[in-house]
Amino acid sequence: HRYRLPTEFEWEYAARAGAEDDIPWKEIQATAVLGGEVPKIVGTKKPNAWGLYDMLGNVWEWVQDIYNEKMFADPTPPKSGKEHVLKGSSFTGDVKNATYMTHAAGPGNGFDIGLRLVVEVR
């Protein structure tokens, strides 16, 4: 097997779990760990439609792509830069940050950053 960080668009595809529109705030409240002082154990909120927990909230997730210094991703990510993209918001965030489409720059502050690996089966 080969392990790697997801691209920004792979991460978004997994977070959306088949949804075409952005997530409604009511659904964010049901699935995302937000407005806290510390991260929570994974799985304390409802999973997305594909059974993935904490795609929004709890910790920002570091992805493979380089940050483009914009609010949204470009179709082709930059080849170089100073920071990687962070997706999903953290436990310190709120519903306006916990969305599929927006991104932030990392490494961030360190205490609210995590990652999710892609496993490529060969």
Side-chain angles (χ1 to χ4, degrees):
H1 300 310
R2 181 175 176 249
Y3 300 90
R4 62 175 175 80
L5 292 173
T7 67
E8 183 166 5
F9 289 112
E10 287 172 331
W11 184 95
E12 187 173 323
Y13 180 78
R16 284 180 179 278
E20 293 186 19
D21 294 324
D22 202 8
I23 187 168
W25 284 18
K26 185 177 180 180
E27 188 67 16
I28 292 170
Q29 295 293 352
T31 61
V33 174
L34 299 169
E37 296 180 14
V38 296
K40 302 282 189 219
I41 295 170
V42 172
T44 59
K45 294 279 196 148
K46 183 178 125 184
N48 73 8
W50 290 351
L52 300 173
Y53 288 91
D54 298 342
M55 291 300 295
L56 300 174
N58 216 14
V59 295
W60 285 102
E61 294 190 15
W62 196 24
V63 299
Q64 184 179 49
D65 295 344
I66 301 297
Y67 184 63
N68 64 4
E69 300 187 29
K70 300 176 187 174
M71 183 179 285
F72 301 106
D74 291 322
T76 303
K79 299 240 185 264
S80 64
K82 296 178 184 177
E83 300 172 301
H84 279 262
V85 171
L86 299 175
K87 296 291 284 184
S89 193
S90 79
F91 60 89
T92 64
D94 57 29
V95 292
K96 69 178 187 235
N97 293 318
T99 178
Y100 307 134
M101 299 178 295
T102 59
H103 63 201
N109 56 28
F111 69 88
D112 64 350
I113 307 297
L115 57 92
R116 191 178 301 259
L117 294 176
V118 172
V119 179
E120 294 179 348
V121 180
R122 294 183 176 195

